[in-house]
Amino acid sequence: MELSLTSRTDGDFEIIEVGGEIDVYTAPKLREAIVAAVDAGHTQLIIDVQKVDFLDSTGLGVLVGALKRVRADGGSLDIVCTQERILKIFEITGLDKVFGLHTSIDEARTTQPL
């Protein structure tokens, strides 16, 4: 399965909507989209994974790397996800304590640090 990515700016936030599978083959595409957003000056990222069917350790690594990068610039990275199977991956790895996990983009926008 392919990876679909769309990005849009909404106020201070860069929202990246992801669909499909994030695995060893597609994770570089996600990394490129995140790097492009940060290079363009966006450090308040919201990654929407509502349409992601599969997420492996490579994909998690991309998200962790992105979080480190935006935090170094005083930014944040929050994730929108309501799918139990994807949320379970964050829980098992302990990353649910590292990322802000939200049920909607609006919720992620309103709970951002100032």
Side-chain angles (χ1 to χ4, degrees):
M1 178 170 234
E2 284 293 309
L3 182 72
S4 65
L5 294 167
T6 57
S7 296
R8 63 184 165 91
T9 303
D10 185 358
D12 293 336
F13 303 95
E14 184 69 9
I15 300 166
I16 301 173
E17 296 175 350
V18 187
E21 297 181 357
I22 306 173
D23 59 20
V24 68
Y25 302 106
T26 61
K29 195 172 168 185
L30 175 58
R31 180 181 293 115
E32 289 172 15
I34 292 169
V35 167
V38 173
D39 286 349
H42 301 288
T43 58
Q44 304 292 343
L45 302 181
I46 298 173
I47 310 293
D48 183 347
V49 297
Q50 292 288 79
K51 296 178 184 171
V52 169
D53 300 316
F54 178 79
L55 174 66
D56 74 0
S57 60
T58 308
L60 288 174
V62 167
L63 294 173
V64 169
L67 178 64
K68 288 179 181 179
R69 184 165 181 181
V70 296
R71 281 191 177 166
D73 291 334
S76 65
L77 187 153
D78 287 85
I79 296 175
V80 175
C81 182
T82 57
Q83 294 184 55
E84 285 301 317
R85 68 181 176 275
I86 302 294
L87 289 170
K88 190 75 170 166
I89 293 168
F90 285 102
E91 290 172 20
I92 289 170
T93 58
L95 292 173
D96 60 329
K97 309 270 190 293
V98 176
F99 289 104
L101 297 173
H102 305 279
T103 59
S104 70
I105 291 171
D106 286 338
E107 179 185 302
R109 291 181 79 235
T110 59
T111 58
Q112 294 288 319
L114 296 176

